[in-house]
Every structure is written in C-alpha cells, then in structure tokens.
C-alpha cells in the first residue's frame, strides 16, 4: 500500500473511531459531523472525502461490527464441542450484541443499498452453514433439510433478539432465548 493510501485509510479509521465513541456516548441524533471531525482532528472536507453523510458512516460502522461478528461467531461456533456450551455461547453472544450501545444508537439510522444487502446475505449464509453443521454434528440422523429449517429458525430468533424486535411482540429473556434455541436444536 502506498503512503497516501495508508494515510487515507488512517483518516477513515480515525473518523470511524471518533464517530463510534460519540454515537455510543451521545447517540446518533445528538452527534453532528462537526462533533466527529472535531474529535478526530480532521476537517469537514476529510469527512466528506470518505463518507457521503453521517448516515453512510453509521452504516459503515454497523457493517464493520456485524460482519466481523458474524465471521467470528461462525468460526468459533464450530470449535465448541458441546451442544449446551454452544447454545450458551450463542445466547451470551446475542446478549452482548443486544447491549452494544453503539449498535443500539446507529441501527435505526442505517440504510443498506443492494450491494450491502448482498454482503449481509452472504455472511448470513456463512453463519447459517455453521449452524447447520453444528446441528448435524449433535444430531447425525437429522436430514439436511430439517437441520437447515432448524438453523434458519435459530438464526431468525437470534437476529430478532439482538435487534430487539422480538420485544415488540413478546417478552423474551435471555433464559427464554436459551430455552427456545435448545428446543430447536434437540431434534430427537
């Protein structure tokens, strides 16, 4: 990477770090672009050289966090040998995402154009593949289709839980989520 490219990448990362801090502390609405550039030490021009808007920056942060999280969860999930430990990992991890102040502040303001939706979909498929493999590992006689249906239901539950959308319809606790996932994963 050339010196100018490295400098540009550093600027972008500094702007993202400043925005992440401010969005977490103040919230999305209460944070201005001016606040972000002031904290990062860059100019408004530097901001617009990397992001078209505050919303684009928020979406970039969301994508960075969630795609890295999906990748990590998919990778680590297969290394957990015990079903109960795996379920605990999924539930604990879902709770951490749900309680992430930055994600809570920016999620309602993110917009995902088709190219980002494809990226999210591709990563979700990777996560789903991990869930199917885990289910079939603990239930070897289960068909691929049944494992995929179960994994899809688990994925939907976790996604809804982390985004808080389950709370609109029912009250679900961390223990409730654990119980539902356990029931779905025991296909005997």
């Amino acid at each position: 990477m050339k010196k100018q490219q490295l400098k540009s990448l550093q600027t972008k990362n500094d702007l993202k770090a400043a925005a992440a801090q401010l969005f977490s502390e103040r919230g999305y609405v209460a944070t201005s672009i001016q606040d972000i550039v002031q904290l990062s030490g860059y100019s408004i021009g530097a901001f617009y050289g990397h992001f078209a808007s505050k919303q684009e920056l928020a979406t970039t942060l969301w994508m960075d966090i969630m795609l890295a999280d999906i990748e990590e969860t998919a990778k680590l999930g297969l290394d957990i040998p015990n079903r109960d430990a795996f379920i605990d990992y999924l539930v604990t991890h879902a709770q951490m995402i749900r309680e992430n102040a930055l994600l809570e502040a920016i999620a309602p303001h993110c917009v995902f154009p088709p190219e980002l939706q494809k990226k999210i979909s591709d990563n979700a498929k990777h996560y789903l593949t991990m869930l199917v493999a885990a289910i079939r590992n603990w239930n070897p006689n289960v068909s691929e289709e049944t494992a995929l249906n179960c994994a899809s239901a688990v994925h939907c539950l976790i996604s809804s839980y982390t985004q808080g959308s389950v709370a609109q319809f029912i009250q679900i606790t961390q223990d409730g989520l654990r119980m539902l996932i356990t029931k779905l994963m025991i296909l005997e």
Side-chain angles (χ1 to χ4, degrees):
M1 207 178 251
K2 295 180 182 176
K3 186 176 178 180
Q4 183 57 37
Q5 289 173 315
L6 288 172
K7 184 178 176 189
S8 179
L9 182 60
Q10 184 63 51
T11 301
K12 186 173 187 175
N13 288 337
D14 290 347
L15 288 164
K16 288 180 357 183
Q21 179 183 335
L22 292 168
F23 291 154
S24 295
E25 292 172 357
R26 300 180 184 177
Y28 176 86
V29 175
T31 300
S32 69
I33 292 172
Q34 184 60 46
D35 296 331
I36 295 166
V37 298
Q38 184 175 353
L39 181 60
S40 67
Y42 294 100
S43 67
I44 293 281
F47 179 91
Y48 285 111
H50 292 282
F51 304 101
S53 65
K54 181 172 81 166
Q55 186 175 49
E56 182 183 288
L57 172 55
T59 302
T60 299
L61 288 169
W62 188 94
M63 291 290 292
D64 288 353
I65 294 166
M66 293 308 296
L67 295 183
D69 180 73
I70 290 168
E71 184 66 32
E72 178 186 336
T73 303
K75 182 179 154 198
L76 295 178
L78 289 175
D79 292 337
I80 300 172
N82 174 289
R83 179 176 42 212
D84 291 335
F86 178 73
I87 292 168
D88 285 343
Y89 171 74
L90 291 178
V91 171
T92 301
H93 196 75
Q95 188 66 31
M96 286 175 18
I97 293 294
R98 186 175 180 164
E99 293 173 353
N100 183 305
L102 175 57
L103 291 174
E104 185 179 340
I106 63 177
H109 307 283
C110 294
V111 174
F112 303 100
E115 67 274 6
L116 292 183
Q117 290 177 21
K118 180 173 178 0
K119 213 173 190 182
I120 293 167
S121 177
D122 290 346
N123 275 271
K125 287 175 189 170
H126 183 58
Y127 182 80
L128 199 57
T129 300
M130 178 273 300
L131 288 174
V132 168
I135 290 165
R136 295 205 71 205
N137 183 44
W138 298 308
N139 303 285
N141 297 326
V142 169
S143 72
E144 183 77 22
E145 182 181 358
T146 299
L148 181 59
N149 288 335
C150 173
S152 296
V154 168
H155 187 205
C156 286
L157 271 173
I158 290 172
S159 293
S160 295
Y161 182 77
T162 58
Q163 295 168 19
S165 54
V166 170
Q168 296 172 10
F169 307 105
I170 57 172
Q171 284 295 90
I172 187 167
T173 63
Q174 193 173 358
D175 289 336
L177 179 65
R178 180 178 284 106
M179 185 266 312
L180 288 169
I181 291 172
T182 301
K183 294 285 186 198
L184 283 167
M185 292 190 123
I186 300 174
L187 301 170
E188 300 160 347

